[in-house]
Amino acid sequence: MGGQESQNAKKNICVGLLAHVDAGKTTLAEGLLYTGGRIRKLGRVDHGNAFLDNFALERERGITIFSKQAQISWEGLDITLLDTPGHVDFSAEMERTLQVLDYALLVISGADGVQGHVQTLWRLLEQYGIPAFLFVNKMDQPDTDKEKLLRELQAKLDSGCQEFGPEAERRGTEFLESIAMCDEELMEAYLETDCLEDGVIAQAVAKRHVFPCFFGSALHLEGVEELMKGIRRFSLCPAWPDDFGARVFKISRDASGNRLTHLKVTGGILRVKMPVSNACSAASEGEIWEEKADQLRIYAGAQYSAADEVEAGGICAVTGLARTFAGQGLGRESRNAFPVLVPVLTYGLLLPEGSDAVKVLGQLRKLEEEEPQL
């Protein structure tokens, strides 16, 4: 393969980590942050010191409950990494994050293979049209068979799942032919030149015709750097319009009770004190409003830094917006996005005797903003 130089220009992409519970997703996040120089010491889920699982209940239970953000800058690649919950009970939190991803990184346990929730995640990625890289984790465990796992990925997910990385590329012609079989344009390019440029493969990945698969052990950092190199080589930076637009994917509150609107800028530039409106998305759906973005925060785990502006493609949390909701389009975004997954259970709420129903309703409204499916 050639054309690496053209792929080494600075690029900025948003990548979401998805997985079935216990596939090692948070451990891989630690490995990516460590390899990218974002953290100096590897945390462990079982030690309760993972960088992104900073909520007390997450550390106590050893699971991810809320989606988290971190930035990685590595060899010309800027990644906004969004770690999402793997547990099926928190699928709604994961799905909200899908609205703002450029690429997904699906983590699969080499010990367990393709489980039911993995197939649900795969269908969601297909519905949202998100290109995906795969990392098959825990390959250090006994009785893991790479060839068998790859065949399972191709049978249960997509025939475009192909092994990438140094070991695969050493197979030369066999590797190139297996990639070329996934996409008509790749096949034409291969028949003409006997090679495949990185940029041509990247386009096939972006069209969801090829799904690069990497194998390793996140706990031992095996295959993590190869995965980072693969994402750098075979991803494309989206082209964004000049007019301001944004997509809200989450509402939360900080320790001081400030309401935070988490969004991705999908066009132009968002600046501090800039008026933000829902005029386009509310045209047929409700009241039009305009509010000022008081503060722009770039989060890294529990910490954040204030920014004066965020360019298109960037993710930030905004204070000062009181009427936003998850899935809402702002600025030039002309539609609101609503979830595909629906809750399985229905709950009723019985208030203890003597409760102030009005006060409880106000608290429930706040919860509903953070978890709309309530």
Side-chain angles (χ1 to χ4, degrees), residues 69-111:
Q69 172 185 347
Q71 310 294 128
I72 304 174
S73 290
W74 183 79
E75 295 190 5
L77 175 67
D78 285 349
I79 295 180
T80 299
L81 190 68
L82 293 178
D83 185 17
T84 69
H87 203 288
V88 69
D89 289 349
F90 308 111
S91 291
E93 177 84 4
M94 174 276 303
E95 187 185 355
R96 286 192 286 275
T97 308
L98 296 185
Q99 303 168 31
V100 298
L101 299 184
D102 300 319
Y103 289 87
L105 176 49
L106 182 60
V107 189
I108 292 168
S109 167

Side-chain angles (χ1 to χ4, degrees), residues 263-318:
L263 54 79
K264 178 180 184 176
V265 181
T266 57
I269 299 174
L270 175 61
R271 295 183 172 88
V272 171
K273 301 300 180 186
M274 179 173 135
V276 174
S277 171
N278 71 331
C280 289
S281 62
S284 60
E285 296 182 28
E287 184 184 350
I288 295 174
W289 53 260
E290 184 177 276
E291 297 175 330
K292 282 187 180 178
D294 286 341
Q295 187 183 38
L296 309 183
R297 300 180 180 183
I298 309 296
Y299 271 89
Q303 307 300 317
Y304 72 86
S305 57
D308 293 328
E309 62 180 39
V310 176
E311 296 183 357
I315 302 261
C316 65
V318 183

Side-chain angles (χ1 to χ4, degrees), residues 238-260:
W240 304 106
D242 294 331
D243 298 336
F244 170 73
R247 171 73 57 195
V248 179
F249 67 94
K250 177 179 168 180
I251 304 295
S252 70
R253 282 173 171 78
D254 65 12
S256 304
N258 296 308
R259 189 180 192 271
L260 300 175

